[in-house]
């Protein structure tokens, strides 16, 4: 059974003879952020990766992705000497006390199941190279049951005379807010930890715990399920309001006002109730599909069926926005100029993995539209992923001479743009607000033909 324990005092780290030394395996989005944050909390940290170019970039103070606040903390902690990066796993593991596994778990190419090859490889390398007793901490998002299997793997690989305990400590990072989420987490989950391992982890997270971050101590399966269940719930909430948006359109109601009214109910809340293009990115889509796959494996078919519907509703929103663009252009976008504001799957990131915005832009391009995409941070990553699309360097360039404008990522500069000034640039001032963030009355007053998902017609 899960138990919840909270602490507002600095834990048993005070009894340690010397500061804990940490390694972080994997220096992608999760790993790089975690390594920097752990150094910021005062630990000596070595980030380990098999990609020499990634290691060299981080060692030079360059973050290979956009995340507010991370470059400054990276540079600061490199200068203090508390943080370094290497491809030499053996030397990094030797002498360290806690080893975090932060590698990716992408979806398998042939199914919805998670690919655990990177997690297994990192865990094996750590176990084989241990020179002293240590705690191996899984942070990667994995299917339930993975940690128990990894424990067996570790037991067969650790050198004689060395004790290693594998526990699970899931991550809850939000892109765009990852630094704050790591330094000031809203909860710390420890799965499968003995009293000794729990004391070590309370020492690692002494700062956040002292600030009031609650610690949830539980078993391995529960810890593995927390992250994917949280993502599944958020995805379900998004798909729910998008399904209701369809009802609003049919009934002549306004989903934004409806969502505001629902949000006043403390049991529901307003967050993630914005009807629109739906969710994307590197976590929610793959995580709900992996959970769907695992639930069906375990015979929990109701959960699998629910998540299937959530996924279908979400993907249907992209098709709906494409249809709205076609309708706005008289049934065809062939040789029409389409302006697209947004490429990242959400604001405050340059992540375009499974981006609904780029999915819609590419679909219109395939139908013969002349598409110009602008995103303040994701232009380069979008160009690498979809090189056949056109890209602008400003909002104005995307809007210029467009037959229809699509707002597909809710960056502040798009939401706060001057509709009067932009109307003068468009060939035909038509706008589709696919994120439900524009002030419809202001855009209509400025001369725009305005449509949105679940929004009242003019």
């Amino acid at each position: 059974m899960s138990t919840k324990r909270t602490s507002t005092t600095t834990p048993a780290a005070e009894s340690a003879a010397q500061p804990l030394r940490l390694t972080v395996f994997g220096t992608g989005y999760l790993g790089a952020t975690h390594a920097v944050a752990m150094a910021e909390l005062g630990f000596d940290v070595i980030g380990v990766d098999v990609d020499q170019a990634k290691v060299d970039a981080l060692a030079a103070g360059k973050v290979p992705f956009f995340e507010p606040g991370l470059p400054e903390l990276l540079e600061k902690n490199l200068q203090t000497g508390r943080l370094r990066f290497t491809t030499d796993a053996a030397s990094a593991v030797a002498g360290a006390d806690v080893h975090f596994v932060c590698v990716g778990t992408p979806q398998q190419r042939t199914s919805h199941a998670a690919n655990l090859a990177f997690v297994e490889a990192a865990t094996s390398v750590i176990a084989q190279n241990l020179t002293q007793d240590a705690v191996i901490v899984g942070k990667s998002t994995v299917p339930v049951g993975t940690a128990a299997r990894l424990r067996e793997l570790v037991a067969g690989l650790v050198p004689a005379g060395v004790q290693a305990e594998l526990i699970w400590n899931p991550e809850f990072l939000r892109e765009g807010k990852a630094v704050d989420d790591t330094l000031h987490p809203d909860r710390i989950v420890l799965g499968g930890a003995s009293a000794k391992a729990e004391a070590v982890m309370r020492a690692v997270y002494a700062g956040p715990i002292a600030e009031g971050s609650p610690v949830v101590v539980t078993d391995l399966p529960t810890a593995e399920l927390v992250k994917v269940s949280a993502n599944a719930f958020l995805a379900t909430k998004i798909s729910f309001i998008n399904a209701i948006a369809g009802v609003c359109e049919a009934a002549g109601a306004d989903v934004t006002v409806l969502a505001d009214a629902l949000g006043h109910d403390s049991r529901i809340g307003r967050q993630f109730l914005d009807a629109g293009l739906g969710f994307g990115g590197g976590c929610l889509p793959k995580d709900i599909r992996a959970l769907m796959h695992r639930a069906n494996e375990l015979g929990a078919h109701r959960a699998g069926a629910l998540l299937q519907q959530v996924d279908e509703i979400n993907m249907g929103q992209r098709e709906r926005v494409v249809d709205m663009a076609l309708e706005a252009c008289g049934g065809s976008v062939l040789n029409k100029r389409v302006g697209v504001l947004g490429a990242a799957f959400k604001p405050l990131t340059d992540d375009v993995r499974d981006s609904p915005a780029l999915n819609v832009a590419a679909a219109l391009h395939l139908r013969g539209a002349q598409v110009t995409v602008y995103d303040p941070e994701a232009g380069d990553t979008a160009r690498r992923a979809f090189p056949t699309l056109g890209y602008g360097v400003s909002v104005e360039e995307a809007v210029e001479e467009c037959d229809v404008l699509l707002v597909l990522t809710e960056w502040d500069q798009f939401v706060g743009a001057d509709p009067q000034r932009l109307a003068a640039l468009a060939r035909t001032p038509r706008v589709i607000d696919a994120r439900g963030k524009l002030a419809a009355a202001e855009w209509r007053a400025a001369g725009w033909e305005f449509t949105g998902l679940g929004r009242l017609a003019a």
Side-chain angles (χ1 to χ4, degrees), residues 61-381:
K62 299 176 182 177
V63 179
F65 50 85
F66 176 73
E67 179 60 36
L70 189 59
E72 295 81 1
L73 284 187
L74 172 63
E75 185 65 34
K76 171 186 173 182
N77 285 285
L78 287 172
Q79 291 178 359
T80 65
R82 288 195 298 266
L83 178 64
R84 56 193 178 92
F85 297 90
T86 184
T87 57
D88 187 348
S91 65
V93 171
D97 306 287
V98 182
H99 308 277
F100 288 96
V101 178
C102 297
V103 296
T105 53
Q107 187 175 314
Q108 291 185 11
R109 292 184 179 181
T110 56
S111 79
H112 286 155
N115 181 349
L116 300 176
F118 303 111
V119 169
E120 292 170 356
T123 304
S124 297
V125 167
I126 294 168
Q128 291 168 337
N129 288 285
L130 290 174
T131 59
Q132 64 181 51
D133 294 353
V135 180
I136 303 174
V137 185
K139 290 198 72 69
S140 302
T141 304
V142 297
V144 62
T146 301
R149 186 160 54 81
L150 290 176
R151 275 190 168 178
E152 295 179 0
L153 180 68
V154 169
L157 293 174
V158 293
V162 173
Q163 293 185 341
E165 181 174 349
L166 183 140
I167 69 171
W168 221 259
N169 169 223
E171 59 89 8
F172 302 103
L173 303 190
R174 296 168 294 172
E175 293 192 37
K177 300 178 180 179
V179 171
D180 192 63
D181 286 344
T182 309
L183 294 175
H184 312 285
D186 54 17
R187 76 281 209 196
I188 299 164
V189 176
L190 303 177
S194 66
K196 181 178 179 181
E198 181 185 341
V200 170
M201 295 307 295
R202 285 181 176 272
V204 169
Y205 291 116
I209 291 172
E211 292 178 347
S213 293
V215 179
V216 180
V217 180
T218 186
D219 51 77
L220 282 175
T222 303
E224 290 171 302
L225 280 168
V226 172
K227 172 62 184 295
V228 290
S229 298
N231 279 353
F233 183 83
L234 295 177
T236 301
K237 194 172 182 180
I238 294 167
S239 285
F240 168 81
I241 199 64
N242 280 334
I244 293 298
V247 179
C248 288
E249 290 177 12
D254 192 318
V255 74
T256 58
V257 179
L258 174 66
D260 287 341
L262 290 176
H264 287 294
D265 189 327
S266 60
R267 299 169 300 172
I268 298 172
R270 185 61 177 83
Q271 283 191 309
F272 291 88
L273 274 184
D274 290 315
L277 191 49
F279 57 82
C283 290
L284 258 66
K286 80 171 181 68
D287 286 353
I288 67 167
R289 291 165 191 162
L291 180 56
M292 182 197 317
H293 180 89
R294 186 64 177 137
N296 287 328
E297 283 185 333
L298 294 169
H301 298 296
R302 288 182 179 177
L306 172 63
L307 294 174
Q308 177 73 22
Q309 285 293 308
V310 168
D311 203 5
E312 289 179 0
I313 291 169
N314 185 61
M315 298 306 293
Q317 292 301 103
R318 306 178 188 194
E319 298 172 11
R320 176 68 182 118
V321 173
V322 171
D323 289 341
M324 291 171 72
L326 293 171
E327 292 167 11
C329 293
S332 173
V333 291
L334 181 63
N335 294 324
K336 297 292 187 179
R337 181 163 163 73
V338 177
V340 170
L341 296 182
F345 83 93
K346 73 172 191 176
L348 295 178
T349 182
D350 62 354
D351 193 344
V352 299
R353 291 175 294 174
D354 200 9
S355 167
L358 284 180
N359 187 266
V360 169
L364 293 172
H365 171 74
L366 289 174
R367 287 165 172 79
Q370 298 174 7
V371 179
T372 301
V373 180
Y374 170 67
D375 189 288
E377 292 294 339
D380 290 340
T381 52

Side-chain angles (χ1 to χ4, degrees), residues 1-66:
M1 177 180 290
S2 265
T3 60
K4 183 173 181 178
R5 310 173 191 169
T6 60
S7 172
T8 56
T9 59
T10 303
E14 298 170 356
S15 63
Q18 59 184 6
L20 293 170
R21 292 161 295 180
L22 317 180
T23 68
V24 176
F25 275 69
T27 59
Y29 184 83
L30 166 61
T33 305
H34 192 70
V36 171
M38 292 299 100
E40 178 67 13
L41 290 176
F43 298 101
D44 288 331
V45 182
I46 303 176
V48 185
D49 205 292
V50 297
D51 187 334
Q52 186 68 57
K54 192 183 295 184
V55 164
D56 290 344
L58 288 165
K62 299 176 182 177
V63 179
F65 50 85
F66 176 73

